[in-house]
Each structure stands twice: as C-alpha cells, then as structure tokens.
Amino acid sequence: MQLRSGRRHGPARPPAPGGQRRHGRPPRCPEAAGGGGVEEDRISSLPDDLILAVLVRLGCVEEAALTSVLARRWRGLWTQLPELVFVDWTCLKLRSIEAALAQVTRPALDSLCIALELDGEAGGRVSSLLRDVGERLSPKEVSIFLQGMVEGEDINLPCFRTTTYLDLCQNGVDLALPPPGSKFEALTQLVLDAWTISFADLIPMCPSLRHLDVTDLMFGEVTVHSTSLEKLNVTSAKGEDGLWLFDISAPLLKEASFDIKAVPDLSVSFAAPMVKKFSWSCEFDFEDDDIDAVGLPCMRLSSLDYSMRRGVRQLCLRIVYLASSNEAGDFTSKRGGERSSAQDYQVLGKMWV
C-alpha cells in the first residue's frame, strides 16, 4: 500500500539466511540488549534544530503537531517551527488557525502559508488575525489564500514590514489596502491571483518591488508605475471582461510577459527603455454588433501576439471574418451549405512580421 509520504507499507520481509542481520535496521545498543530488549530512541536524542527540520518536511502544521504523541521529548516542538503551513486537502477554518497561531512561540518565521475557508465570519476578525501574524511573527515569506464570504467590513490587508515575498489569492473575498502612506518596505516579489484591487494604489506602497506576477486578473485596468520593478507578468482571468487601460512605466524593467483579454478601444502606454525580453498576447473582446471596431467591415483583428527575445522581434496578427446576411446587424457564416450563428467566427489567416 502506498502511503502519503511515498513509502510503501506491506508485509515484513523474511529473515536473512543464516540468521544474519539485514541492512537498514539499527543495531540494538549493549545496554538495551541486556536490559529487557528496549532499543535506544535515537531520533529523540537528536538536537532540536534537526528535529524541527524533519517536522518542516511534513508540509503541514497539523501533521507536525500530531508527532507530540510519539514521545515527551517531541511535545510542543511544532510551536517552534520556522515554517508554518496551514493547508490541507481543503482550506482550514478560521478558528483552527487562530488556535494554532496562538501557541506559536518562535519570534520570527521564515515562511507562513495559510489557506482559509471563510463561512460568514466577521471581516474584522480575519483582519485581526493577519495583523497579528505580521506584527508578532514577522514572517519573511507569506502566502495567503482566502475563499468564501465574510460579514460586515472588508478584510484589511496589513503591511507585512519584514516580508520579502508575498503571495495573495482572493476567491470571492474582497481585500482593502492599508491606509495611504503605508509601505511594504522589504517586499521584493509580489504574486497576485484573482486580484480585484487597483494597481495604481498598491504598487506605490512597494518601494523595493522587483518582481510582480499577476494571474487571473479580474480588474479592468493595469497601472504599474515603479522605479524598482525588473520583471512583470500579467495574465487575464478567463471569462472576465476585457482590459480597457494598460499603463506601464518602469525604467528598470528587463523582462515582461502579458497574456490579456482587452476591449477594442484598449488604451496602452508602455515605457520601459531597459526591457530585453518581451512577450505580448492580446485577445480582443467584441460585442456581436461591434463588427467595425477594429478592422474592415466583416473583418476584425481577433488577437495580436508580439515577442522580443535576444534582439529578435516577432509579430503575429490573427484575423477573423463574417459574411453578412440580408439583414443589418445579423451576421452569419456558411458552413457546409447551412447558416450558423454569428459567434462562429472563421480565421481568415495569420500574418507574421
């Protein structure tokens, strides 16, 4: 049987021929051999730092805490873990995480990961938990996944002043930024998933930011003005409305990648004189009655892909068309002699430059 750790659990192996000891089993110490056959507990005799390194590799605070039943020596060791991961197969409840964090004794964490399932809890209660984490535990790396719903006020995102890496994912949960003038002073890498807050308000709070990664963007504009940013990745969420504003000003930016969905009248401003690696993929979001927004009648620019790597530039335009019917505003295409709906656009061709 395969265990979660990857080891296999099965019947015991047969004894070695001649009564010889098989390799892999530690020898019994002389004192134990003459005193009732009790073997030495070598694991518990290890230093705390080494045991903590073992517990960290369990990948979950809950499993690390369960090791307290192994021996008195292990009791409470999990509260000194340098890395705390509150993630199971499903998100954990707020009360469980609050109870566990209250027992943590380590003054500063290397890493903290929380996946929180919210079921109508007060937003202020979640805000208090996050604020306590930032002030009391001073984590260097923070990953927070929030899903569900809260009652009352939005969840306030605190300034994690000692955090260099921050990963935020909000699934149906609204976050409020810290007050104007607040700073994420040490933050160098920021990862945002399903983000719904204006970048124009967030980025100025990160004076040392070098890497910004945005996935499943759910906001209509991207405004990034940063004097420290060196790498930028932005991906729009599938099924969401297209972007209408794209404004980038980053004098130190060296690498940028964009995979976005945009409205036909997208406004773009891109100022990055130091960029060396660039990729742009844009799919335009058209209404059925907006056939002439980009391109000729019955023809439109569906997507634009541009890339630059090692001085080589490549541009690809994807054109689609519809054949108009006898009624204005009703466009159809022929397929096998039968008319189909206007949503069945056909690819006219691709042009590479």
Side-chain angles (χ1 to χ4, degrees):
M1 181 177 66
Q2 187 80 22
L3 300 180
R4 289 181 60 187
S5 61
R7 295 182 292 106
R8 298 193 64 83
H9 180 70
R13 293 181 296 176
Q20 298 178 359
R21 182 183 303 276
R22 286 187 178 272
H23 295 292
R25 182 179 179 183
R28 189 174 298 175
C29 63
E31 295 79 2
V38 179
E39 296 187 8
E40 179 184 13
D41 184 1
R42 297 191 175 188
I43 296 181
S44 293
S45 64
L46 296 174
D48 285 356
D49 289 344
L50 192 53
I51 295 179
L52 290 174
V54 173
L55 295 182
V56 164
R57 282 160 176 77
L58 293 178
C60 179
V61 172
E62 183 179 6
E63 293 188 4
L66 291 176
T67 62
S68 298
V69 303
L70 298 178
R72 184 176 301 175
R73 171 78 167 76
W74 291 64
R75 293 179 185 174
L77 275 180
W78 70 270
T79 64
Q80 305 173 35
L81 286 172
E83 301 177 15
L84 298 179
V85 180
F86 294 94
V87 178
D88 205 341
W89 298 111
T90 57
C91 297
L92 300 177
K93 296 297 183 180
L94 178 59
R95 60 179 179 274
S96 300
I97 297 179
E98 287 175 329
L101 287 175
Q103 302 179 59
V104 175
T105 59
R106 195 178 187 94
L109 297 177
D110 293 337
S111 176
L112 175 66
C113 179
I114 295 177
L116 184 57
E117 174 73 33
L118 299 171
D119 187 18
E121 288 87 354
R125 182 179 169 188
V126 182
S127 301
S128 178
L129 173 69
L130 298 180
R131 184 172 58 252
D132 176 68
V133 164
E135 295 176 353
R136 183 170 63 88
L137 302 179
S138 303
K140 294 180 181 178
E141 298 184 0
V142 177
S143 298
I144 299 175
F145 175 77
L146 302 174
Q147 73 173 11
M149 57 177 295
V150 296
E151 294 291 340
E153 61 186 27
D154 292 340
I155 298 174
N156 294 316
L157 180 66
C159 278
F160 297 98
R161 301 187 183 279
T162 61
T163 299
T164 59
Y165 172 89
L166 181 59
D167 185 348
L168 295 174
C169 178
Q170 49 181 130
N171 186 5
V173 178
D174 291 329
L175 289 176
L177 291 177
S182 302
K183 301 292 183 183
F184 295 84
E185 298 173 352
L187 190 63
T188 59
Q189 185 171 357
L190 178 60
V191 179
L192 303 175
D193 191 355
W195 194 245
T196 59
I197 297 179
S198 172
F199 293 95
D201 299 325
L202 173 63
I203 300 304
M205 297 182 178
C206 310
S208 302
L209 187 64
R210 295 201 300 267
H211 183 185
L212 174 60
D213 194 346
V214 183
T215 59
D216 287 342
L217 177 65
M218 303 176 68
F219 199 75
E221 65 173 281
V222 174
T223 301
V224 177
H225 293 179
S226 172
T227 58
S228 61
L229 193 64
E230 298 177 0
K231 185 175 181 180
L232 174 61
N233 299 316
V234 178
T235 304
S236 294
K238 303 300 182 183
E240 294 296 320
D241 294 336
L243 293 177
W244 56 272
L245 175 63
F246 200 87
D247 183 6
I248 308 296
S249 177
L252 298 183
L253 188 66
K254 299 176 182 178
E255 183 175 340
S257 176
F258 308 106
D259 186 357
I260 63 173
K261 182 179 180 182
V263 297
D265 56 348
L266 170 68
S267 175
V268 178
S269 175
F270 187 83
M274 300 293 291
V275 68
K276 296 181 179 180
K277 185 177 179 182
F278 183 84
S279 175
W280 172 279
S281 179
C282 180
E283 178 182 353
F284 293 99
D285 183 17
F286 294 95
E287 299 293 337
D288 290 337
D289 57 354
D290 196 18
I291 193 69
D292 299 328
V294 176
L296 301 174
C298 302
M299 300 172 61
R300 71 180 60 177
L301 177 63
S302 173
S303 65
L304 184 152
D305 295 295
Y306 174 82
S307 64
M308 180 183 67
R309 181 177 298 181
R310 297 180 180 178
V312 178
R313 296 171 173 84
Q314 182 172 271
L315 174 65
C316 176
L317 306 179
R318 184 174 184 269
I319 309 297
V320 298
Y321 78 96
L322 290 173
S324 61
S325 69
N326 53 1
E327 295 184 7
D330 179 18
F331 296 93
T332 60
S333 61
K334 290 187 176 181
R335 179 177 300 176
E338 298 181 359
R339 294 186 180 273
S340 60
S341 65
Q343 285 75 12
D344 292 331
Y345 303 135
Q346 298 182 11
V347 177
L348 178 64
K350 292 183 179 180
M351 294 187 296
W352 295 87
V353 180

